[in-house]
Amino acid sequence: MRYIGVNGVLTEAAKAVIHVSDHGFLYGMGLFETFRTYNGVPFLLDRHLRRLEEGCRMLGIPFQPDKEQLTKHIQHLMVANGLDEAYIRYTVSAGEEALGLPSGDYTQPNHILFAKPLPSTNTQTGQSSALQLLRTSRNTPEGEVRLKSLHYMNNILAKRELQQYAEAVHYKAEGIMLTANGFLAEGIVSNLFFVRNNTLYTPDLSTGILPGITREFILELADLRGIPCEQGLYHWDELKQADEIFMTNSIQEIRPVDLLLEPGGVASHLSVPLAQTESITALLLHDYRQKAGMK
């Protein structure tokens, strides 16, 4: 990554810096969105900007989304970094303020834009993967809903635990966290779905999970197909009885799961849902990629 966007300016990566008084650095006051491009165009950008705008309002960070301007900036950044397609991260931090907790709203946020190559797994989107149950619990949101904020310690602690399991590392597994009450929550970087008896299930937002953009989109696609959907409170044992399992995020789209791993070494295998062309996982992946403009 040769260039990074800093407040709308293409900046050499080594020179892309923010001030130490930025409250994003001092207190984690900031938000970010990650998304990808298809045919060079950011996908579901309106939704990402809407979530970012709502979160900034809650944190007192001024933010006025400009989709057209941001799209141009993304395209310029991709060209500068020699990318045809890209993994994009757009961060809005609170900006410089005096040391100490603020008493009012922020006034000069910093906007940081990253563009890097898509992970190699995206060349084979839809390939199956493993899911490792973690002992690290999903923490509760700081406010009424979980924001995609710069407070990322819980996720990092979960990732550190994940790296302790040899099988999880071998299979490049995603880690799944439970709530403090033992209900299924979400992955380290993804939302969870599973299918049982032709009904699609996903943990309810009351578990404190991130209201993922791809999660929302998948629920809409399922509704269009007439697939029954339920959002609720579920346990790990229910996941082990599922007919299909998949994880979602904006970079990996839909990632089927065919292996469940537990801290004690127990492993449970599932059939590969994409091998069944009429599986709900396969149908939703087809619809998702069609909406994204992929053939």
Side-chain angles (χ1 to χ4, degrees):
M1 188 161 34
R2 296 171 54 201
Y3 293 94
I4 296 171
V6 180
N7 295 321
V9 178
L10 289 180
T11 307
E12 292 181 23
K15 298 178 181 179
V17 298
I18 60 171
H19 198 278
V20 294
S21 294
D22 190 305
H23 275 205
F25 168 71
L26 289 175
Y27 303 113
M29 290 297 287
L31 303 169
F32 70 98
E33 293 289 330
T34 54
F35 46 91
R36 61 157 294 178
T37 64
Y38 293 88
N39 301 315
V41 179
F43 187 50
L44 300 179
L45 184 56
D46 285 323
R47 300 181 188 225
H48 285 283
L49 289 177
R50 183 166 61 248
R51 182 171 67 176
L52 188 57
E53 181 181 23
E54 292 172 355
C56 283
R57 177 181 50 78
M58 293 172 64
L59 298 181
I61 299 174
F63 179 74
Q64 185 64 42
D66 188 333
K67 178 184 176 181
E68 183 178 350
Q69 185 62 33
L70 179 61
T71 298
K72 290 180 180 178
H73 190 29
I74 289 170
Q75 291 171 341
H76 291 159
L77 185 60
M78 288 172 62
V79 170
N81 285 310
L83 300 171
D84 294 321
E85 302 288 6
Y87 171 123
I88 306 294
R89 169 169 165 152
Y90 180 32
T91 301
V92 179
S93 67
E96 297 174 38
E97 288 290 344
L99 187 63
L101 301 184
S103 56
D105 290 345
Y106 294 98
T107 58
Q108 293 184 306
N110 283 312
H111 297 249
I112 312 298
L113 190 64
F114 297 90
K116 68 176 185 178
L118 290 166
S120 58
T121 53
N122 273 82
T123 62
Q124 300 177 8
T125 302
Q127 66 180 355
S128 296
S129 61
L131 191 61
Q132 172 71 55
L133 176 64
L134 300 175
R135 293 190 174 97
T136 302
S137 297
R138 192 56 166 134
N139 63 351
T140 55
E142 291 89 351
E144 292 183 6
V145 297
R146 184 175 298 280
L147 302 178
K148 198 171 180 69
S149 76
L150 304 185
H151 297 262
Y152 232 57
M153 185 182 296
N154 186 221
N155 302 65
I156 293 173
L157 290 175
K159 183 63 178 288
R160 288 176 63 83
E161 180 190 345
L162 182 65
Q163 298 307 304
Q164 297 173 14
Y165 302 117
E167 277 197 293
V169 173
H170 174 73
Y171 288 108
K172 299 180 180 178
E174 165 69 312
I176 183 75
M177 292 179 280
L178 307 181
T179 68
N181 294 324
F183 295 114
L184 292 168
E186 61 187 336
I188 298 173
V189 294
S190 58
N191 286 123
L192 168 70
F193 287 86
F194 64 96
V195 177
R196 182 71 174 169
N197 296 327
N198 295 314
T199 296
L200 184 64
Y201 298 89
T202 190
D204 191 76
L205 295 180
S206 64
T207 59
I209 63 173
L210 180 74
I213 298 299
T214 304
R215 174 186 182 275
E216 173 188 60
F217 195 57
I218 291 299
L219 288 172
E220 293 175 9
L221 292 177
D223 184 61
L224 289 173
R225 275 197 175 266
I227 298 170
C229 301
E230 290 188 17
Q231 302 179 53
L233 304 178
Y234 312 109
H235 292 95
W236 175 256
D237 284 344
E238 294 176 82
L239 197 61
K240 293 170 69 173
Q241 298 171 7
D243 300 318
E244 306 172 36
I245 303 172
F246 61 88
M247 309 298 290
T248 64
N249 69 28
S250 294
I251 305 301
Q252 296 182 347
E253 304 169 345
I254 294 176
R255 193 76 183 271
V257 172
D258 63 359
L259 178 62
L260 297 177
L261 303 171
E262 300 182 38
V266 177
S268 303
H269 292 268
L270 287 80
S271 62
V272 183
L274 288 184
Q276 308 160 16
T277 56
E278 293 304 310
S279 71
I280 287 177
T281 305
L283 292 173
L284 291 174
L285 178 58
H286 169 271
D287 293 352
Y288 186 96
R289 303 210 84 192
Q290 189 174 59
K291 292 288 187 180
M294 302 293 287
K295 295 182 180 179

